[in-house]
């Protein structure tokens, strides 16, 4: 009997890895084995340590990887899987492959930078500190990616066919529909990946992609994200609040530091800031996008305009590319990044990682968190145990590079920037299903979020819902 095993994003938001094994042979011989997503764990130390552990299935026994989208908590462990011996195909949409071509090498590069910094300061428990994988290893794994377009059936075995459908989370993001032959019948599996905001810009202000994930789904087994299963996003336009935050910071002579995911969230924020400047709602400040791949990310973002909402297309047509804007700088090298630290006048710094789990944002916060004139603005989800979560939750200090840094800067958050559907939107999408799944498993959510979403789905739709547990196996077709 086939089974699904949850190797990540079960009980936590990050580390998405879901294994499908088509045969559960009592002799121990594996069947056709496919990983849906292969992401990095982020957050608490116990989760991050899982990145260094080998999965229960040897890498060389995995037959295929199917990737929902490019965010590192879904794709960032692929170089490690390849490093451990995986030689099979990695299927993804063309836009996802474009994004991974910059995200994964950048991830390796930043890990090398962090390891070098720890070794230089001698502040690691490990001697020497090592990266999980290098930039070169990440570049090497890109050779195994194979493009599959949306709504294009791809048969991997006579009994196994999959198709990508729109998830509307970020450019290229997909859900994975799988047709699986089980004992003479066909079972339909749906893995949602991350589900984007439903409806239009009035409900989800500032959304980039066209409205909503694919509707009218049907599935025997649904594996669904639950990141915002316990809350509802604000429906207000974030621009007036953002303008006030920036203006107040400028008046006290401070700098705005924005930890942001390098793909889409950063571009969305830059366009919003530029629009506020052009309309005169905020002064024309220097803006620094500090990421080794910032220029490439902008170009890929603009390349895939076929997925944009009409509002986004109009904004891009009006303002052009951020690479040509006066006063906007893109730091590619470590030296470019260090020069930003010498800026003493008000400015805006946008840098990754979005959860402050690593990368150049650490250096900016190390320098600027103790100054009450500054503002740290969060525009994305902060997983429990990350530095971002610590800062956002009102802590007095946070540990960066082995030292405790006092948090005296103002801290704020704009939840309207989220690209995840909230509880109301998730339920609205589920209502469009053609039938009731026999089994629904909630992943990619913290316990409270997943638990509350389970209760909401059970109460409103009457579905059988379980919260997935790490390394749990669930049989298909029982």
């Amino acid at each position: 009997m086939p089974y699904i095993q949850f190797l990540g994003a079960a009980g936590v938001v990050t580390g998405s890895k879901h294994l499908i094994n088509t045969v559960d042979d009592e002799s121990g011989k594996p069947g056709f084995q496919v990983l849906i997503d292969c992401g990095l764990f982020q957050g608490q130390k116990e989760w991050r340590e899982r990145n260094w552990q080998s999965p229960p299935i040897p890498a060389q026994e995995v037959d295929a990887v199917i990737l929902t989208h490019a965010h590192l908590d879904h794709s960032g462990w692929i170089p490690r899987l390849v490093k451990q011996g995986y030689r099979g195909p990695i299927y993804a949409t063309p836009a996802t492959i474009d994004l991974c071509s910059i995200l994964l090498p950048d991830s390796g590069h930043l890990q090398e930078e962090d390891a070098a910094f720890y070794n230089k300061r001698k502040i690691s428990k490990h001697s020497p500190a090592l990266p999980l994988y290098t930039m070169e290893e990440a570049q090497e794994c890109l050779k195994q990616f194979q493009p599959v377009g949306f709504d294009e059936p791809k048969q991997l075995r006579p009994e196994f066919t999959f198709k990508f459908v729109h998830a509307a989370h970020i450019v290229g993001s997909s859900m994975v529909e799988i047709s699986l032959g089980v004992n003479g019948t066909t079972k339909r599996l749906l893995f949602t990946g991350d589900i984007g905001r439903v409806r239009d810009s009035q409900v989800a202000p500032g959304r980039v992609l066209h409205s909503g994930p694919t509707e009218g789904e049907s599935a025997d087994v649904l594996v669904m994200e639950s990141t915002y299963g316990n809350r509802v996003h604000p429906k207000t336009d974030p621009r007036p609040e953002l303008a006030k935050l920036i203006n107040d910071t400028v008046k006290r002579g401070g700098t705005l530091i924005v930890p942001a995911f390098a793909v889409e969230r950063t571009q969305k924020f830059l366009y919003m800031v530029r629009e506020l400047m052009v309309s005169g709602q905020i002064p024309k400040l220097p803006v620094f996008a500090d990421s080794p791949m910032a220029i490439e990310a902008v170009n890929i973002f603009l390349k895939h305009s076929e997925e944009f909402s009409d509002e986004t297309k109009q904004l891009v047509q009006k303002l052009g590319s951020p690479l040509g804007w006066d006063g906007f700088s893109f730091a590619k090298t470590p030296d470019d990044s260090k020069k930003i630290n010498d800026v003493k006048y008000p400015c805006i710094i946008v840098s990754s990682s979005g959860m402050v789990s690593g990368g150049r944002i650490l250096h900016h916060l190390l320098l600027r968190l103790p100054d009450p004139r500054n503002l740290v603005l969060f525009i994305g989800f902060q997983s429990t145990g990350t530095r971002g979560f610590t800062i956002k939750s009102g802590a007095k200090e946070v540990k960066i590079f082995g030292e405790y840094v006092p948090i005296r800067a103002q801290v704020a958050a704009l939840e309207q920037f989220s690209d995840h559907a909230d509880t109301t939107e998730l339920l609205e999408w589920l209502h469009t299903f053609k039938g009731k799944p026999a089994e629904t498993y909630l992943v990619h959510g913290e316990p409270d979020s997943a638990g509350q979403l389970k209760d909401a789905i059970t109460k409103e739709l009457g579905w059988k819902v379980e919260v997935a547990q790490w390394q749990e196996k669930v049989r298909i077709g029982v």
Side-chain angles (χ1 to χ4, degrees), residues 209-281:
L209 300 187
H210 57 68
S211 178
T214 298
E215 298 183 350
E217 284 288 348
S218 61
D220 298 297
V221 179
L222 172 64
V223 178
M224 174 181 171
E225 72 125 314
S226 56
T227 310
Y228 281 103
N230 62 344
R231 69 196 86 177
V232 176
H233 297 314
K235 300 295 189 285
T236 55
D237 185 340
R239 282 167 284 205
E241 187 177 356
L242 175 59
K244 184 178 188 308
L245 287 167
I246 293 173
N247 287 325
D248 289 348
T249 302
V250 171
K251 286 176 185 176
R252 57 179 182 257
T255 287
L256 171 62
I257 307 102
V258 184
F261 300 99
V263 173
E264 194 151 309
R265 200 69 54 90
T266 291
Q267 289 83 47
K268 181 191 295 189
F269 181 79
L270 292 179
Y271 271 97
M272 199 167 285
V273 167
R274 179 66 172 174
E275 190 178 25
L276 292 174
M277 288 182 180
V278 170
S279 63
Q281 296 178 64

Side-chain angles (χ1 to χ4, degrees), residues 92 170 195 209:
I170 64 169
I195 303 171
L209 300 187

Side-chain angles (χ1 to χ4, degrees), residues 306-320:
E306 72 277 0
E307 294 190 52
F308 289 174
S309 66
D310 290 340
E311 182 184 38
T312 302
K313 288 179 181 177
Q314 292 168 9
L315 192 61
V316 170
Q317 186 176 13
K318 173 185 174 183
L319 298 178

Side-chain angles (χ1 to χ4, degrees), residues 92-359:
T93 64
T96 293
I97 294 176
D98 284 346
L99 292 174
C100 283
S101 72
I102 59 169
L103 274 173
L104 295 180
D106 179 68
S107 173
H109 176 66
L110 291 178
Q111 289 181 59
E112 289 183 273
E113 278 190 358
D114 287 349
F117 185 85
Y118 277 101
N119 289 327
K120 182 179 179 180
R121 292 281 190 94
K122 293 181 169 56
I123 54 177
S124 174
K125 295 178 182 178
H126 306 282
S127 183
L130 298 172
L132 188 66
Y133 51 83
T134 65
M135 180 172 70
E136 183 178 353
E137 288 167 339
Q139 289 171 330
E140 188 66 21
C141 82
L142 296 172
K143 297 176 181 177
Q144 293 169 232
F145 278 73
Q146 296 186 21
V148 178
F150 284 108
D151 298 312
E152 177 186 318
K154 181 74 174 180
Q155 186 175 42
L156 304 187
R157 285 289 191 277
E159 76 281 9
F160 192 110
T161 300
F162 80 89
K163 182 173 69 173
F164 288 128
V165 297
H166 288 282
H169 172 60
I170 64 169
V171 167
S173 63
S174 64
M175 293 185 267
V176 182
E177 295 178 0
I178 295 171
S179 295
L180 181 64
V182 181
N183 295 331
T185 64
T186 299
K187 296 295 181 182
R188 188 178 174 91
L189 284 58
L190 178 63
F191 292 79
T192 68
D194 288 348
I195 303 171
R197 304 293 302 276
V198 177
R199 294 293 185 186
D200 53 28
S201 59
Q202 292 183 338
V203 174
R207 69 171 287 121
V208 171
L209 300 187
H210 57 68
S211 178
T214 298
E215 298 183 350
E217 284 288 348
S218 61
D220 298 297
V221 179
L222 172 64
V223 178
M224 174 181 171
E225 72 125 314
S226 56
T227 310
Y228 281 103
N230 62 344
R231 69 196 86 177
V232 176
H233 297 314
K235 300 295 189 285
T236 55
D237 185 340
R239 282 167 284 205
E241 187 177 356
L242 175 59
K244 184 178 188 308
L245 287 167
I246 293 173
N247 287 325
D248 289 348
T249 302
V250 171
K251 286 176 185 176
R252 57 179 182 257
T255 287
L256 171 62
I257 307 102
V258 184
F261 300 99
V263 173
E264 194 151 309
R265 200 69 54 90
T266 291
Q267 289 83 47
K268 181 191 295 189
F269 181 79
L270 292 179
Y271 271 97
M272 199 167 285
V273 167
R274 179 66 172 174
E275 190 178 25
L276 292 174
M277 288 182 180
V278 170
S279 63
Q281 296 178 64
I282 62 171
K284 293 185 177 180
L285 302 171
V287 178
F288 300 96
D290 187 12
S291 166
M293 59 168 180
I295 294 174
E296 292 89 344
V298 168
N299 286 330
I300 290 174
F301 175 79
L302 295 176
K303 173 183 175 182
H304 291 284
S305 60
E306 72 277 0
E307 294 190 52
F308 289 174
S309 66
D310 290 340
E311 182 184 38
T312 302
K313 288 179 181 177
Q314 292 168 9
L315 192 61
V316 170
Q317 186 176 13
K318 173 185 174 183
L319 298 178
S321 168
L323 302 179
W325 296 342
D326 290 337
F328 284 68
S329 303
F330 294 82
K332 294 192 70 175
T333 69
D335 285 341
D336 292 337
S337 179
K338 291 173 184 176
K339 289 176 184 176
I340 300 172
N341 292 334
D342 297 329
V343 176
K344 305 302 180 186
Y345 43 80
C347 64
I348 297 172
I349 302 170
V350 186
S351 185
S352 57
S353 73
M355 295 187 193
V356 200
S357 55

